[in-house]
Amino acid sequence: MIKAVPLQYFTRKLPQKEALAFTLVYRFGKQHLEEVLRRTGVNYFIHGSEVAKTLFEINPDATLGRVLILHDLLVHPNGKKLLAQAPLSNEEKSLVSSMYALRRLHIDQNTQDLDYMIGEFSADTRLLIMRMAHRLN
């Protein structure tokens, strides 16, 4: 059985303030995303922790890690309400929304999807880093 990446993996090298912020997001994600399953049968909390781990292996960016823990929050039936309540900054919430918008694009079949994706990556290059971490996972 696949388990979520332990919280300590993310927080062990972070400054205390960043570790606390990461802990709040991690617990929020665990509380709300463990109950929602992906098509693979793995819950969205485990998936988010795995994608965040992939990012941390490349670059331990706490902000992007927090976003990746919750990047599928809008899949939850109460996703919009939960995103509003999430312990994220407004900028981080915007990144979660942008990641969600990129999740089902078919760039190989639809040039409009490719145009949209290029536009999003140009507007915020952090999205490219997060999508690549998602792809690697």
Side-chain angles (χ1 to χ4, degrees):
M1 182 176 168
I2 300 174
K3 294 184 179 182
V5 178
L7 174 61
Q8 296 77 7
Y9 177 85
F10 301 108
T11 60
R12 66 181 178 215
K13 294 182 181 178
L14 295 177
Q16 186 176 5
K17 185 177 178 182
E18 288 289 333
L20 176 59
F22 205 99
T23 299
L24 293 173
V25 169
Y26 186 93
R27 290 179 179 161
F28 186 88
K30 184 172 177 59
Q31 179 182 357
H32 297 291
L33 293 175
E34 270 191 334
E35 64 195 51
V36 185
L37 300 181
R38 302 179 76 217
R39 284 183 259 160
T40 61
V42 173
N43 70 55
Y44 279 104
F45 176 67
I46 290 173
H47 169 67
S49 75
E50 288 289 332
V51 176
K53 179 182 181 222
T54 301
L55 170 80
F56 265 60
E57 289 171 355
I58 301 165
N59 177 16
D61 184 306
T63 297
L64 298 185
R66 288 190 298 268
V67 169
L68 287 173
I69 292 287
L70 298 180
H71 79 275
D72 282 318
L73 189 60
L74 291 169
V75 171
H76 191 285
N78 297 319
K80 288 182 181 181
K81 180 179 175 185
L82 290 173
L83 183 57
Q85 297 170 354
L88 298 170
S89 69
N90 288 335
E91 179 183 23
E92 291 167 338
K93 289 176 183 179
S94 177
L95 284 170
V96 168
S97 294
S98 294
M99 281 291 289
Y100 181 77
L102 294 172
R103 69 188 297 266
R104 293 279 180 237
L105 297 180
H106 300 285
I107 61 173
D108 54 340
Q109 298 171 3
N110 185 344
T111 58
Q112 288 177 328
D113 285 354
L114 178 60
D115 291 345
Y116 178 78
M117 186 173 280
I118 290 171
E120 289 296 302
F121 291 160
S122 297
D124 192 335
T125 56
R126 295 173 300 179
L127 287 169
L128 178 60
I129 294 165
M130 290 188 295
R131 285 302 302 168
M132 291 301 101
H134 191 271
R135 222 52 222 144
L136 288 171
N137 179 266

